[in-house]
Amino acid sequence: MQGACGYGDLFQEGYGLETAALSTALFNNGQTCGACFELTCVNSQWCKQNAGAIRITATNFCPPNYTPPVDIHWCNPPNKHFDLSMKMFTSIAEYKSGIVPVKFRRVKCQKRGGVRFEIKGNPNFIMVLVYNVGGAGDVNYLAIKGHKSNWISMQRNWGQNWNTGVGLVGQRLSFTVKTSDGRSLTFYDVASESWGFGQTFEAKSNFY
């Protein structure tokens, strides 16, 4: 729940327990938030036989720990480490092992419903959390437009929270989302003129 990507209740947001916190080498200062990976347990007596692969979404950061002895802290650079939920870890390995080597690769995210936008802030500062993103999953550009304004490029605040200081209260809101694979989609009139802070709006489509 919560965490360094800016997501809130992972169950309400559709991620559930199929999630992981990424080490520094994978987290990329939050730019990998929302990306999906396929993991398979390999080369360990603790791997569950015929378990196959699991798929997870990056939703948090596993911070480094430089307290000696540093070689036991798996999230330290340059280690590529996935801190899994209990459910996902025990899907591929025995619980008592604690840590196992994995083979991993990036995969397309398959999400239900449309891309979602949670609007926070105040009349002079709009912050948007973009989530439930399919395809590559990790957003690297977000623009917002009121029906009376031009397109405004938003700045990454932290994780997948993006902000602008332009006031757009009372305007219909549209968004352009670009993911790390270079694909972009524009979602028109996602929020009506009566939108309010603290509300979440779902687009009618998604990346596939």
Side-chain angles (χ1 to χ4, degrees), residues 38-54 84 88-94 97-104:
E38 182 180 86
L39 280 65
T40 307
C41 183
V42 295
N43 303 327
S44 172
Q45 62 177 327
W46 302 112
C47 293
K48 287 187 175 178
Q49 287 191 348
N50 304 315
I54 58 171
L84 298 172
M88 300 315 291
F89 182 84
T90 55
S91 294
I92 58 173
E94 299 294 339
S97 62
I99 183 167
V100 291
V102 295
K103 180 173 64 176
F104 73 92

Short mmCIF file of all heavy atoms in Angstrom, two decimals, residues 38-54 84 88-94 97-104:
data_model
loop_
_atom_site.label_atom_id
_atom_site.label_comp_id
_atom_site.label_asym_id
_atom_site.label_seq_id
_atom_site.Cartn_x
_atom_site.Cartn_y
_atom_site.Cartn_z
N GLU A 38 7.90 -10.33 -15.81
CA GLU A 38 7.65 -11.76 -15.63
C GLU A 38 8.86 -12.37 -14.95
O GLU A 38 10.00 -12.16 -15.39
CB GLU A 38 7.43 -12.41 -16.99
CG GLU A 38 7.10 -13.90 -16.92
CD GLU A 38 6.89 -14.49 -18.29
OE1 GLU A 38 7.90 -14.89 -18.92
OE2 GLU A 38 5.73 -14.53 -18.75
N LEU A 39 8.64 -13.09 -13.86
CA LEU A 39 9.72 -13.67 -13.07
C LEU A 39 9.56 -15.18 -12.98
O LEU A 39 8.45 -15.69 -12.79
CB LEU A 39 9.72 -13.11 -11.64
CG LEU A 39 10.34 -11.74 -11.38
CD1 LEU A 39 9.56 -10.64 -12.07
CD2 LEU A 39 10.38 -11.47 -9.87
N THR A 40 10.70 -15.88 -13.09
CA THR A 40 10.73 -17.33 -12.92
C THR A 40 11.85 -17.68 -11.96
O THR A 40 12.97 -17.17 -12.09
CB THR A 40 10.98 -18.03 -14.27
OG1 THR A 40 10.04 -17.57 -15.24
CG2 THR A 40 10.87 -19.54 -14.11
N CYS A 41 11.56 -18.51 -10.98
CA CYS A 41 12.58 -18.96 -10.04
C CYS A 41 13.52 -19.94 -10.75
O CYS A 41 13.07 -20.86 -11.44
CB CYS A 41 11.90 -19.63 -8.84
SG CYS A 41 13.03 -20.18 -7.53
N VAL A 42 14.83 -19.74 -10.59
CA VAL A 42 15.82 -20.60 -11.27
C VAL A 42 16.98 -20.92 -10.33
O VAL A 42 17.28 -20.18 -9.40
CB VAL A 42 16.38 -19.91 -12.54
CG1 VAL A 42 15.30 -19.72 -13.59
CG2 VAL A 42 17.03 -18.57 -12.21
N ASN A 43 17.63 -22.05 -10.62
CA ASN A 43 18.91 -22.43 -10.00
C ASN A 43 18.88 -22.42 -8.47
O ASN A 43 19.81 -21.95 -7.83
CB ASN A 43 20.03 -21.50 -10.49
CG ASN A 43 20.17 -21.51 -12.01
OD1 ASN A 43 19.93 -22.53 -12.65
ND2 ASN A 43 20.53 -20.38 -12.58
N SER A 44 17.81 -22.91 -7.90
CA SER A 44 17.73 -22.99 -6.44
C SER A 44 16.92 -24.22 -6.04
O SER A 44 15.91 -24.55 -6.68
CB SER A 44 17.06 -21.75 -5.86
OG SER A 44 16.82 -21.92 -4.47
N GLN A 45 17.38 -24.87 -4.96
CA GLN A 45 16.64 -26.02 -4.44
C GLN A 45 15.27 -25.61 -3.89
O GLN A 45 14.40 -26.44 -3.67
CB GLN A 45 17.43 -26.69 -3.33
CG GLN A 45 17.68 -25.78 -2.13
CD GLN A 45 18.40 -26.47 -0.99
OE1 GLN A 45 18.20 -27.67 -0.78
NE2 GLN A 45 19.25 -25.74 -0.27
N TRP A 46 15.10 -24.29 -3.67
CA TRP A 46 13.86 -23.80 -3.07
C TRP A 46 12.81 -23.43 -4.11
O TRP A 46 11.69 -23.07 -3.75
CB TRP A 46 14.16 -22.59 -2.18
CG TRP A 46 15.14 -22.88 -1.09
CD1 TRP A 46 16.41 -22.39 -0.97
CD2 TRP A 46 14.94 -23.74 0.03
NE1 TRP A 46 17.01 -22.88 0.15
CE2 TRP A 46 16.13 -23.71 0.80
CE3 TRP A 46 13.87 -24.53 0.48
CZ2 TRP A 46 16.27 -24.45 1.97
CZ3 TRP A 46 14.01 -25.26 1.65
CH2 TRP A 46 15.20 -25.22 2.38
N CYS A 47 13.15 -23.50 -5.38
CA CYS A 47 12.16 -23.22 -6.42
C CYS A 47 11.07 -24.30 -6.37
O CYS A 47 11.36 -25.49 -6.24
CB CYS A 47 12.80 -23.24 -7.80
SG CYS A 47 13.98 -21.91 -8.12
N LYS A 48 9.82 -23.89 -6.48
CA LYS A 48 8.73 -24.86 -6.52
C LYS A 48 8.67 -25.48 -7.92
O LYS A 48 8.68 -24.77 -8.92
CB LYS A 48 7.40 -24.17 -6.19
CG LYS A 48 7.26 -23.81 -4.73
CD LYS A 48 5.86 -23.28 -4.40
CE LYS A 48 5.71 -23.04 -2.90
NZ LYS A 48 4.37 -22.49 -2.58
N GLN A 49 8.61 -26.78 -7.94
CA GLN A 49 8.61 -27.49 -9.22
C GLN A 49 7.35 -27.15 -10.02
O GLN A 49 6.24 -27.08 -9.48
CB GLN A 49 8.68 -29.00 -8.99
CG GLN A 49 10.06 -29.47 -8.53
CD GLN A 49 10.17 -30.99 -8.58
OE1 GLN A 49 9.19 -31.69 -8.74
NE2 GLN A 49 11.40 -31.48 -8.45
N ASN A 50 7.57 -26.93 -11.31
CA ASN A 50 6.48 -26.66 -12.25
C ASN A 50 5.64 -25.43 -11.86
O ASN A 50 4.46 -25.34 -12.22
CB ASN A 50 5.56 -27.89 -12.37
CG ASN A 50 6.32 -29.13 -12.78
OD1 ASN A 50 7.15 -29.09 -13.68
ND2 ASN A 50 6.05 -30.24 -12.11
N ALA A 51 6.27 -24.51 -11.13
CA ALA A 51 5.54 -23.31 -10.69
C ALA A 51 5.28 -22.37 -11.85
O ALA A 51 4.34 -21.58 -11.83
CB ALA A 51 6.31 -22.59 -9.59
N GLY A 52 6.13 -22.42 -12.86
CA GLY A 52 5.97 -21.49 -13.98
C GLY A 52 6.39 -20.08 -13.60
O GLY A 52 7.14 -19.87 -12.64
N ALA A 53 5.89 -19.11 -14.32
CA ALA A 53 6.27 -17.72 -14.11
C ALA A 53 5.15 -16.94 -13.44
O ALA A 53 3.98 -17.31 -13.51
CB ALA A 53 6.63 -17.06 -15.45
N ILE A 54 5.53 -15.86 -12.77
CA ILE A 54 4.56 -14.92 -12.22
C ILE A 54 4.74 -13.59 -12.93
O ILE A 54 5.80 -13.30 -13.48
CB ILE A 54 4.74 -14.71 -10.69
CG1 ILE A 54 6.16 -14.22 -10.37
CG2 ILE A 54 4.42 -16.00 -9.94
CD1 ILE A 54 6.35 -13.78 -8.93
N LEU A 84 9.05 -9.03 -3.34
CA LEU A 84 7.71 -9.48 -3.71
C LEU A 84 6.77 -9.53 -2.53
O LEU A 84 7.20 -9.67 -1.38
CB LEU A 84 7.78 -10.88 -4.34
CG LEU A 84 8.59 -11.04 -5.62
CD1 LEU A 84 8.72 -12.51 -5.98
CD2 LEU A 84 7.93 -10.27 -6.76
N MET A 88 3.06 -13.66 -4.00
CA MET A 88 3.78 -13.87 -5.24
C MET A 88 5.07 -14.66 -5.01
O MET A 88 5.43 -15.52 -5.81
CB MET A 88 4.08 -12.52 -5.91
CG MET A 88 2.83 -11.73 -6.27
SD MET A 88 1.53 -12.71 -7.07
CE MET A 88 2.27 -13.07 -8.64
N PHE A 89 5.76 -14.39 -3.91
CA PHE A 89 7.00 -15.13 -3.62
C PHE A 89 6.70 -16.61 -3.44
O PHE A 89 7.38 -17.47 -4.02
CB PHE A 89 7.68 -14.57 -2.36
CG PHE A 89 8.98 -15.25 -2.05
CD1 PHE A 89 10.16 -14.84 -2.66
CD2 PHE A 89 9.04 -16.31 -1.16
CE1 PHE A 89 11.37 -15.47 -2.40
CE2 PHE A 89 10.24 -16.95 -0.88
CZ PHE A 89 11.40 -16.53 -1.50
N THR A 90 5.67 -16.92 -2.66
CA THR A 90 5.37 -18.33 -2.38
C THR A 90 4.69 -19.02 -3.57
O THR A 90 4.44 -20.22 -3.52
CB THR A 90 4.51 -18.47 -1.11
OG1 THR A 90 3.33 -17.68 -1.25
CG2 THR A 90 5.28 -18.04 0.11
N SER A 91 4.41 -18.27 -4.61
CA SER A 91 3.91 -18.88 -5.85
C SER A 91 5.03 -19.56 -6.62
O SER A 91 4.78 -20.48 -7.42
CB SER A 91 3.24 -17.83 -6.74
OG SER A 91 2.08 -17.31 -6.15
N ILE A 92 6.27 -19.11 -6.40
CA ILE A 92 7.40 -19.67 -7.16
C ILE A 92 8.45 -20.33 -6.29
O ILE A 92 9.29 -21.08 -6.79
CB ILE A 92 8.06 -18.58 -8.03
CG1 ILE A 92 8.55 -17.40 -7.18
CG2 ILE A 92 7.12 -18.11 -9.13
CD1 ILE A 92 9.37 -16.37 -7.97
N ALA A 93 8.46 -20.03 -4.97
CA ALA A 93 9.52 -20.56 -4.10
C ALA A 93 8.98 -20.89 -2.72
O ALA A 93 7.93 -20.39 -2.31
CB ALA A 93 10.65 -19.54 -3.99
N GLU A 94 9.72 -21.73 -2.01
CA GLU A 94 9.36 -22.07 -0.64
C GLU A 94 9.59 -20.86 0.27
O GLU A 94 10.61 -20.18 0.17
CB GLU A 94 10.18 -23.26 -0.15
CG GLU A 94 9.99 -24.54 -0.95
CD GLU A 94 8.58 -25.10 -0.81
OE1 GLU A 94 7.88 -24.76 0.18
OE2 GLU A 94 8.17 -25.86 -1.70
N SER A 97 12.95 -20.13 2.24
CA SER A 97 14.18 -19.75 1.53
C SER A 97 14.49 -18.27 1.69
O SER A 97 15.65 -17.88 1.71
CB SER A 97 14.05 -20.10 0.05
OG SER A 97 12.99 -19.36 -0.54
N GLY A 98 13.46 -17.44 1.76
CA GLY A 98 13.68 -16.00 1.97
C GLY A 98 14.07 -15.25 0.72
O GLY A 98 13.55 -14.17 0.44
N ILE A 99 15.00 -15.80 -0.04
CA ILE A 99 15.44 -15.15 -1.27
C ILE A 99 15.88 -16.22 -2.25
O ILE A 99 16.47 -17.23 -1.86
CB ILE A 99 16.59 -14.15 -1.01
CG1 ILE A 99 16.97 -13.41 -2.30
CG2 ILE A 99 17.79 -14.83 -0.38
CD1 ILE A 99 17.86 -12.22 -2.08
N VAL A 100 15.54 -16.04 -3.52
CA VAL A 100 15.93 -16.99 -4.57
C VAL A 100 16.34 -16.23 -5.82
O VAL A 100 15.90 -15.11 -6.05
CB VAL A 100 14.76 -17.94 -4.94
CG1 VAL A 100 14.45 -18.91 -3.79
CG2 VAL A 100 13.52 -17.17 -5.35
N PRO A 101 17.22 -16.83 -6.62
CA PRO A 101 17.56 -16.20 -7.90
C PRO A 101 16.39 -16.34 -8.88
O PRO A 101 15.66 -17.33 -8.85
CB PRO A 101 18.77 -17.00 -8.38
CG PRO A 101 18.68 -18.32 -7.68
CD PRO A 101 18.00 -18.07 -6.37
N VAL A 102 16.20 -15.33 -9.71
CA VAL A 102 15.13 -15.36 -10.71
C VAL A 102 15.65 -14.96 -12.08
O VAL A 102 16.63 -14.24 -12.20
CB VAL A 102 13.95 -14.43 -10.33
CG1 VAL A 102 13.26 -14.88 -9.07
CG2 VAL A 102 14.40 -12.97 -10.24
N LYS A 103 14.95 -15.46 -13.07
CA LYS A 103 15.12 -14.97 -14.43
C LYS A 103 13.95 -14.03 -14.67
O LYS A 103 12.81 -14.35 -14.31
CB LYS A 103 15.08 -16.16 -15.40
CG LYS A 103 15.24 -15.78 -16.86
CD LYS A 103 15.38 -17.03 -17.74
CE LYS A 103 14.13 -17.87 -17.70
NZ LYS A 103 14.19 -19.04 -18.62
N PHE A 104 14.21 -12.85 -15.24
CA PHE A 104 13.11 -11.90 -15.42
C PHE A 104 13.18 -11.20 -16.77
O PHE A 104 14.24 -11.12 -17.39
CB PHE A 104 13.08 -10.86 -14.29
CG PHE A 104 14.19 -9.84 -14.36
CD1 PHE A 104 14.01 -8.62 -15.01
CD2 PHE A 104 15.42 -10.08 -13.76
CE1 PHE A 104 15.02 -7.67 -15.07
CE2 PHE A 104 16.44 -9.14 -13.80
CZ PHE A 104 16.24 -7.93 -14.47
#
